[in-house]
Amino acid sequence: MTEKIKIDVWSDIACPWCYIGKRNLENGLAQTAADSDAPQVEVTFHSYELSPDTPVDFEGDEIDFLAGHKGMPRERVKEMLDNVTGVAAKAGLEYRFDLLQHTNTVKAHELLHFAKAQGRQHEMAERLMSAYFTEGRHVGRIDDLVELATEAGLDADAARDALQSGRYLAHVHADQAQAQAYGIQGVPFFVIDGKYGVSGAQPADAFAQIARQVWAEKQQTAPQQA
């Protein structure tokens, strides 16, 4: 029996390319599902904070944040956001930067680790990114995160306790340390079976191709059953 391909994804909730990369990965894997010998894949999300110094309640919109954080002219920032909105649309995502509430994402990452322990990390990652980029929901405050957790099928009281206690913060820091060890300097970043690194929101076709390639490699090296 060939072991599943392990895909480890480093991303940030507040990274527009990370949501696009997530959806392209899912669409790419969906392309392989009809294969006679479809690759078996296990995807795990890992924490990466692009701007850990961001306040929980940022005053201003996304243009204000990027213009201040990156020192870019506002018109250039607007062009950049229009571009990523167009790319997102091709992936089937409707970005609403006009509604987006910029915030610190560390608590959202803690919630992802709590969700992973409950077997619902994928549902939580999707709920957080959709809430942030398409619905204008706040993903930095505990009350808002608990509400999103319940929408992803998690227990409200358990989620609140996990966030208030901060017991998953060490997991967030461990992911960030691993990213540093890998030399990851930007996200999304995909580590395929611990040996291939894929940077950026690659097209769905690229993810389908690498899944098929790695699956074929694994089958060639897998021990044969007697």
Side-chain angles (χ1 to χ4, degrees):
M1 187 75 175
T2 306
E3 290 185 359
K4 289 183 178 180
I5 299 170
K6 289 183 168 51
I7 301 182
D8 293 286
V9 186
W10 270 263
S11 62
D12 192 0
I13 305 303
C15 163
W17 293 105
C18 292
Y19 196 12
I20 294 169
K22 176 181 180 295
R23 187 62 86 246
N24 285 350
L25 172 63
E26 292 164 349
N27 290 338
L29 295 177
Q31 289 179 24
T32 71
D35 292 2
S36 57
D37 185 20
Q40 300 299 304
V41 178
E42 180 181 301
V43 179
T44 303
F45 294 98
H46 298 275
S47 303
Y48 191 101
E49 290 179 86
L50 286 170
S51 303
D53 57 341
T54 304
V56 171
D57 292 300
F58 176 77
E59 296 293 334
D61 60 17
E62 186 71 351
I63 295 177
D64 293 326
F65 177 82
L66 290 172
H69 192 73
K70 295 184 179 294
M72 297 168 59
R74 291 180 64 85
E75 200 53 45
R76 176 73 189 97
V77 172
K78 188 177 184 309
E79 289 174 7
M80 190 173 69
L81 294 181
D82 288 345
N83 173 61
V84 74
T85 298
V87 177
K90 291 176 182 176
L93 302 170
E94 186 183 352
Y95 278 9
R96 291 294 305 272
F97 286 109
D98 57 321
L99 300 177
L100 188 148
Q101 297 187 64
H102 207 88
T103 187
N104 189 293
T105 59
V106 68
K107 283 294 176 188
H109 284 294
E110 289 179 42
L111 182 58
L112 274 176
H113 282 282
F114 166 72
K116 179 184 177 184
Q118 307 301 311
R120 298 196 70 80
Q121 191 194 43
H122 286 214
E123 293 86 348
M124 195 70 254
E126 179 64 29
R127 192 68 203 94
L128 285 167
M129 288 182 166
S130 175
Y132 187 71
F133 282 109
T134 74
E135 302 165 38
R137 302 275 292 272
H138 203 292
V139 300
R141 297 184 295 242
I142 289 179
D143 285 349
D144 298 276
L145 288 169
V146 169
E147 190 172 329
L148 290 168
T150 61
E151 291 170 14
L154 295 166
D155 180 77
D157 291 337
R160 184 179 298 278
D161 178 66
L163 293 173
Q164 289 178 338
S165 69
R167 67 175 178 270
Y168 287 97
L169 183 59
H171 295 73
V172 175
H173 290 161
D175 276 355
Q176 293 166 337
Q178 182 63 65
Q180 192 170 19
Y182 277 143
I184 297 171
Q185 296 181 324
V187 287
F189 195 93
F190 305 81
V191 177
I192 318 292
D193 245 19
K195 57 183 180 179
Y196 298 113
V198 178
S199 179
Q202 301 296 321
D205 289 350
F207 285 119
Q209 181 180 353
I210 195 167
R212 288 173 173 135
Q213 174 190 327
V214 174
W215 188 242
E217 290 174 3
K218 288 176 77 71
Q219 289 183 312
Q220 288 171 4
T221 60
Q224 298 298 311
Q225 289 185 335

